[in-house]
Amino acid sequence: MDVNDVLARIPADMWATPYAGARFPGSAAVRDRPGLTDGANCQLFAYAVLELFGLAPEAWRSSDLWADARRTRRVTVAQPLDLALFNATDEAWGAHLGVVVGQDRILHLCAEAGRPAVWTMGEFAARDRYRTLLGFKRMLRCSPGGPGGPGGPGRPRGTDAAAG
């Protein structure tokens, strides 16, 4: 999957999502009015993008996502649909979240842009609030029946499902 594959699957109405910092995963605002129509913060938007591709993230805040080892794993080389975490410091609490789309590009939603945008890693590094890349997290697919479904953990993306 490359950058064009990922971006082509983003529906037009998602590109119109306004930034709304109070609309984060687990917030009362999202519970009362789910979806992106009323806006989203970076996490809510990133998780909605992953859901388009059949991935089901928890309603984590950035520090919970960074600490998780059950449904995600840290990776050093990003692939499309990995999550990228940025902050002004090396702290995961309050980190900004985006979705890797490929070719050194990250799809994200931030107050500065106001609407979803695709930035290069250099564009993040040039801004004080995003200058530190904490790293990348990859969602692990779960087969029906285990954590996140009825059958146990599935194989991570990028592995050979037929291998033993």
Side-chain angles (χ1 to χ4, degrees):
M1 182 175 307
D2 72 11
V3 65
N4 294 323
D5 295 333
V6 174
L7 296 178
R9 293 202 30 205
I10 307 297
D13 60 335
M14 277 185 88
W15 288 105
T17 303
Y19 178 82
R23 291 188 50 81
F24 55 86
S27 70
V30 172
R31 222 176 13 259
D32 294 344
R33 292 186 53 99
L36 302 178
T37 304
D38 292 334
N41 80 339
C42 62
Q43 294 147 333
L44 188 64
F45 180 78
Y47 296 160
V49 170
L50 293 183
E51 288 170 0
L52 290 173
F53 293 87
L55 298 170
E58 299 281 337
W60 287 307
R61 298 305 305 256
S62 56
S63 54
D64 297 325
L65 168 65
W66 191 242
D68 174 72
R70 184 178 65 87
R71 304 248 353 242
T72 63
R73 70 178 164 114
R74 293 180 189 183
V75 295
T76 55
V77 178
Q79 296 177 3
L81 303 181
D82 287 343
L83 295 167
L85 287 87
F86 300 91
N87 210 345
T89 69
D90 61 0
E91 293 294 320
W93 191 89
H96 181 67
L97 196 61
V99 178
V100 175
V101 293
Q103 300 174 352
D104 190 44
R105 296 169 68 193
I106 310 290
L107 170 63
H108 70 116
L109 178 61
C110 69
E112 179 182 340
R115 300 277 186 221
V118 178
W119 288 359
T120 65
M121 296 295 285
E123 288 174 285
F124 283 98
R127 291 163 167 85
D128 285 343
R129 68 183 305 174
Y130 307 127
R131 71 176 174 251
T132 302
L133 171 67
L134 277 79
F136 303 105
K137 291 292 294 229
R138 182 165 299 152
M139 294 294 305
L140 303 178
R141 292 192 186 266
C142 293
S143 61
R155 295 191 180 275
R157 280 186 300 110
T159 63
D160 181 357

